[in-house]
Amino acid sequence: MVYARTVGKKTITLRVSGLLWNRSLIMNDMETGSEWSQLLGKAMKGKLEGAKLRPIPAQLTTWDDWKKQHPDTTVLNLPRTSNSYGVEFYRDRSQFVLGLVIGETAKAWPFDALGRERAVQDTLAGVPLLVTFDRRSTRALVFSRVLGKETLHFQWDPDTGELKDRKSKTTWDPTSGRAVKGPRKGAQLEILPGIVSHRRAWRAFHPLSAIMR
Amino acid sequence: MLSDGTARTPPPHRQEGTMRTFLTAITVLLLALVAHAEDREYKPRRVVKPYPAITDPDFLPASKVLAEVTSAELVLGVTLDGKARAYPINMLTGPQREIINDTLADTAIAATW
C-alpha cells in the first residue's frame, strides 16, 4: 500500500525495522524511531504513537495493464530482488482479498468471489461502494458510489456488457471509475484506499471484518 | 443487477435449543472480543536488524523500460495530481526493499510491500 509521509507538519522517512507483528511489517521513522504498522498505517509505539498515515489509493495490477492506463508513467528502477511476483502469484484466488477499513469497520472481498462477479455493489459503515475486478490483471479496486448528493446503482448492460448506472444509463469504466459515455460523461467516482492482502493477514489484523462469500 | 456483497448466513435453528443458542452466541461474541483484544495487543518480534531507509530512488520513463519489467509482472501503481508511477513488486521484496520513500507530484509518499 501507499501512504503519504507527512503527518501534521512533519514529513517522516520510513525504514524496515526488522520487527514483525502478526507476521506483518513494522516500519520505523528515522526522525523519532517510532514503530509503525504497515497494514494499519498507524504508529504503535514511540513518540508518535497513535499517529496515522493517510493512505493513498494505489493499484496492484500487471505492468501491461498499468502501462495501458498510464502510458506516461514512470517506473522504479532498482535491481530485481525476485522473479516470482507475476499474475500467477494470485493463482489461488480464494487466498487473497481486497480489504477496506472505514472508521472502525472492515470488510474484505476475496478475489475468487470478485472474479465471479467482476463488479460488486456493497455498503460499509454506511458508505455505498462499488468493488471492481479485472480477471486478467487481477486488479481489484473499490470506489464510493456517492456522486454529489446521489448514490448510484450499477448494472451490467445485457446487450453491450458495459457497466451502467441504472438511473441515467451512463457507461462507466470499471478501471478508472470515470463515466465515459452518456449523460454523466466525465464524472469521476472517488477511489477509496483498498488494500490487497493475504486473507489470513487480513483476518489477523481485522478479526471482526466481514468477508464477502 | 450487480451481485450484493452481503455475507450470507444460514437460517437460525428454532428448536428447543433457543437458550442454548443464545448462550452459545454470547460465548462466541465474548471469545471474539477477547481474540480481538489479544490480536490487537502490540507485541512485535525482532527477526532481523533494521535496514537503511531507501530514499530518492532512480526512475525510468515507461518508454525506456524494455526487458526490465515484463507484461504479466505485478506492479504497485499510484497516481497523484495526474502523475503516475509504478513500483514493480519484483523490486520490492527483500525485506530490505519493502519501503520506498518517494515524492510524487510534490507529495512525500511511501510505497510499501
Side-chain angles (χ1 to χ4, degrees), chain A:
Chain A
M1 54 229 63
V2 180
Y3 293 105
R5 286 190 284 126
T6 303
V7 184
K9 291 206 166 84
K10 198 188 193 75
T11 296
I12 58 177
T13 310
L14 294 164
R15 69 166 181 193
V16 171
S17 71
L19 298 168
L20 286 181
W21 178 42
N22 280 340
R23 287 186 283 178
S24 180
L25 174 66
I26 294 292
M27 316 186 283
N28 282 134
D29 69 85
M30 302 300 293
E31 289 73 14
T32 72
S34 302
E35 293 171 13
W36 299 77
S37 162
Q38 180 215 16
L39 203 53
L40 298 178
K42 195 165 101 165
M44 308 302 297
K45 186 177 170 184
K47 184 163 174 227
L48 297 177
E49 182 179 337
K52 286 189 167 162
L53 297 174
R54 176 170 66 91
I56 292 180
Q59 292 184 24
L60 204 52
T61 186
T62 57
W63 168 234
D64 191 49
D65 177 63
W66 182 255
K67 207 170 35 165
K68 285 204 179 84
Q69 290 182 52
H70 303 283
D72 58 350
T73 186
T74 47
V75 186
L76 178 68
N77 186 32
L78 288 174
R80 284 169 174 283
T81 44
S82 56
N83 283 306
S84 44
Y85 290 91
V87 113
E88 332 75 54
F89 180 68
Y90 295 119
R91 195 183 320 121
D92 184 1
R93 293 192 174 179
S94 62
Q95 295 311 302
F96 296 95
V97 300
L98 180 74
L100 183 67
V101 181
I102 297 183
E104 294 295 311
T105 332
K107 184 155 184 179
W109 296 268
F111 277 19
D112 54 350
L114 291 178
R116 271 196 324 264
E117 307 292 341
R118 286 189 298 145
V120 168
Q121 292 190 121
D122 210 332
T123 307
L124 183 65
V127 178
L129 306 173
L130 177 71
V131 185
T132 66
F133 187 78
D134 177 76
R135 288 176 186 137
R136 185 192 280 200
S137 63
T138 68
R139 184 209 333 118
L141 301 173
V142 55
F143 301 93
S144 163
R145 283 188 285 126
V146 176
L147 197 69
K149 293 199 165 88
E150 287 183 74
T151 296
L152 302 183
H153 297 275
F154 290 90
Q155 59 196 19
W156 294 108
D157 184 309
D159 299 317
T160 63
E162 292 169 320
L163 186 66
K164 293 190 170 165
D165 74 84
R166 236 186 340 189
K167 195 157 164 212
S168 75
K169 304 286 190 279
T170 298
T171 303
W172 296 79
D173 174 7
T175 303
S176 62
R178 186 184 298 279
V180 292
K181 201 166 59 178
R184 296 194 211 261
K185 182 174 170 179
Q188 172 70 56
L189 295 179
E190 185 196 351
I191 188 167
L192 301 175
I195 296 172
V196 173
S197 172
H198 273 286
R199 196 182 183 122
R200 249 181 293 116
W202 184 261
R203 273 236 172 275
F205 281 83
H206 303 285
L208 300 182
S209 170
I211 303 216
M212 175 192 171
R213 304 246 170 154

Side-chain angles (χ1 to χ4, degrees), chain B residues 83-103:
Chain B
K83 297 263 191 279
R85 186 155 288 170
Y87 303 86
I89 302 303
N90 283 323
M91 295 173 188
L92 299 187
T93 60
Q96 66 273 22
R97 295 278 191 79
E98 285 175 357
I99 305 168
I100 308 286
N101 294 279
D102 197 0
T103 307

Side-chain angles (χ1 to χ4, degrees), chain B residues 28-84:
Chain B
V28 166
L29 179 63
L30 285 172
L31 285 173
L33 286 172
V34 167
H36 179 71
E38 278 174 356
D39 274 342
R40 295 295 280 257
E41 192 195 336
Y42 181 59
K43 281 210 295 224
R45 202 168 51 90
R46 179 160 294 284
V47 289
V48 81
K49 284 198 310 226
Y51 285 97
I54 298 175
T55 57
D56 292 322
D58 199 30
F59 287 93
L60 293 176
S63 53
K64 292 241 166 76
V65 172
L66 302 166
E68 285 85 8
V69 188
T70 60
S71 357
E73 284 196 52
L74 291 174
V75 302
L76 182 62
V78 61
T79 59
L80 266 177
D81 295 331
K83 297 263 191 279

